[in-house]
Structure formats: structure tokens, C-alpha cells
Amino acid sequence: EIVLTQSPGTLSLSPGERATLSCRAIQSVNDNYLAWYQQKPGQAPRLLIYGASSRATGIPDRFSGSGSGTDFTLTISRLEAEDFAVYYCQQYGSAPNTFGQGTKVEIK
Amino acid sequence: QVHLVESGGGVVQPGRSLRLSCAASGFIFSSYAMHWVRQAPGKGLEWVAVIWSDGITKYYADSVQGRFTISRDNSKNTLYLQMNSLRAEDTAVYYCARAYLQPLPYHWGQGTLVTVSS
């Protein structure tokens, strides 16, 4: 299976700052089938990005995804209060699908 | 409006079985692949299984292969997860999710909690 490693584990930032989250795979992700999800406490995950760089319906353009092969990045250009949450990457190009361990974005 | 409602969770003893259901509405259920994803208390997300729209193609996580079975009844717009030989480490909130545009969990339900304990 494809193991995904997210870094950093925790990101402490202030509202208005830029957040850069990394997701690295041990082998190439087929078709760049890499997604990013946001999860807040007590809620189901929400899809942000699919296909490495396509925004899901209704996702603000301050969220962007980039990368290919084994290295992927989620960027939040200017953090807003509602963006402080845990973020997960997932690869769905190979079975079994796998998730990264998550990055927590917390208020500094 | 995509609507997914999981049910069937509860407390079950180790070694026993449980069947989860996911009732779907607001879309043509038979046209979409469906996933199960779980989350142990305080932990990250773990993908469990997927079933394609044909109901034949299925994939599982290594941790549940041979113990869990994903299925669907397109006439009832319902997804199932049959869980056998349950272990303490299967304790989690189980989410069902619909694929869209690409074969990934796009729309999610709110989840149902399964607790495996004696």
C-alpha cells in the first residue's frame, strides 16, 4: 500500500497568514489521484481538493493544491478563523486507498 | 441534495458481528461508487472499503480484508458494511461517502459509532 506522510504534524499560525501543508508518498500516486480534506471537531471530513489541484464545489479560492508524483502541497493563502482544523491527504489512485496521518492547523 | 445517513452502530463484544447501513437519497444511487471510511476515537481517518456502481468490483483495507464485506442494494438505495470477527481496534466512527467526478469519497454522511468491548 502507498504510505502518505504529512508534515508538519502541527502548524501554529495567525489569521491572515499563509499555511503550507505537505503530503509525501512512498511511491508515485497514479494519475495524481490525491485529495485533501478538512475536518473540524465532531464533524465529518469535508473534501477540499481532488486530483491534486481541483477545488471541490463551494471551496473558497484561498485553498489551492499542487504537486505531482510523490510530493503534494495544500496552500491556504490567508487563514481565516474557520480554517483552523485538521487536514488530511488521501491517495485514491491505488487500492487500498490510504490517508496521511493529518496536520493540525492551530491558532498561534 | 446528496444525503447519506449511516445506522447500525452500537456496542458489540469482541468476536461478534455487526452490519452497518447507509441510506442514500437525493441522487441516482446506482450510478456511483461508494466508500466506507472510519475514525478511531482521537485518531486519524482510515479508509475501509469501496464498491463500484456495478456492485461487483470491491476493494478493502488490509486491516479488514477477510472480515468485512461491503455490499449495496441499488433497489433500496442502501450501502452496507458487514463486519465479522470484530476486534477492539475496530472501535471507530464509520462514515459512508459517495464518489463523484473521480473515485474518491466526495460527499460524506455524519457517521455511526461502533464500540467493540466486552
Side-chain angles (χ1 to χ4, degrees):
Chain A
E1 72 176 38
I2 296 180
V3 176
L4 301 178
T5 301
Q6 293 186 238
S7 61
T10 302
L11 200 50
S12 299
L13 295 169
S14 300
E17 289 193 294
R18 181 184 189 90
T20 303
L21 287 65
S22 173
C23 177
R24 184 162 292 176
I26 60 169
Q27 63 191 78
S28 186
V29 176
N30 290 338
D31 298 315
N32 289 328
Y33 274 3
L34 192 287
W36 290 93
Y37 297 87
Q38 177 194 68
Q39 189 179 32
K40 298 179 181 178
Q43 296 184 16
R46 177 175 72 146
L47 177 67
L48 300 174
I49 302 289
Y50 65 94
S53 61
S54 297
R55 267 188 301 276
T57 304
I59 300 304
D61 61 6
R62 65 180 181 274
F63 291 93
S64 63
S66 62
S68 64
T70 60
D71 290 313
F72 299 89
T73 300
L74 175 70
T75 302
I76 311 171
S77 59
R78 294 172 309 280
L79 282 165
E80 298 196 3
E82 63 263 32
D83 299 336
F84 292 94
V86 179
Y87 293 82
Y88 296 94
C89 60
Q90 183 209 13
Q91 71 79 23
Y92 52 99
S94 303
N97 295 178
T98 48
F99 284 93
Q101 82 279 19
T103 290
K104 182 179 182 180
V105 178
E106 65 176 21
I107 300 176
K108 186 174 182 180
Chain B
Q1 183 85 1
V2 175
H3 198 47
L4 301 168
V5 179
E6 302 92 339
S7 61
V11 180
V12 60
Q13 293 179 327
R16 303 297 291 266
S17 299
L18 201 63
R19 188 178 80 160
L20 304 183
S21 299
C22 170
S25 59
F27 63 100
I28 302 174
F29 179 73
S30 59
S31 296
Y32 295 91
M34 298 292 297
H35 296 258
W36 286 102
V37 178
R38 69 183 181 182
Q39 186 169 36
K43 303 298 184 181
L45 300 172
E46 180 185 17
W47 178 84
V48 174
V50 63
I51 183 169
W52 290 13
S53 58
D54 62 12
I56 297 172
T57 305
K58 307 173 185 181
Y59 297 102
Y60 297 91
D62 293 346
S63 59
V64 306
Q65 180 79 48
R67 299 188 300 124
F68 290 12
T69 302
I70 189 171
S71 63
R72 63 193 299 159
D73 186 336
N74 288 340
S75 69
K76 295 182 178 180
N77 293 341
T78 302
L79 175 72
Y80 301 101
L81 186 67
Q82 177 67 43
M83 304 185 294
N84 299 332
S85 303
L86 282 161
R87 307 166 179 167
E89 54 264 36
D90 296 318
T91 294
V93 174
Y94 285 74
Y95 297 99
C96 69
R98 188 197 84 167
Y100 179 61
L101 298 177
Q102 292 182 357
L104 78 163
Y106 196 112
H107 297 104
W108 296 60
Q110 286 305 303
T112 186
L113 176 62
V114 173
T115 302
V116 184
S117 174
S118 54

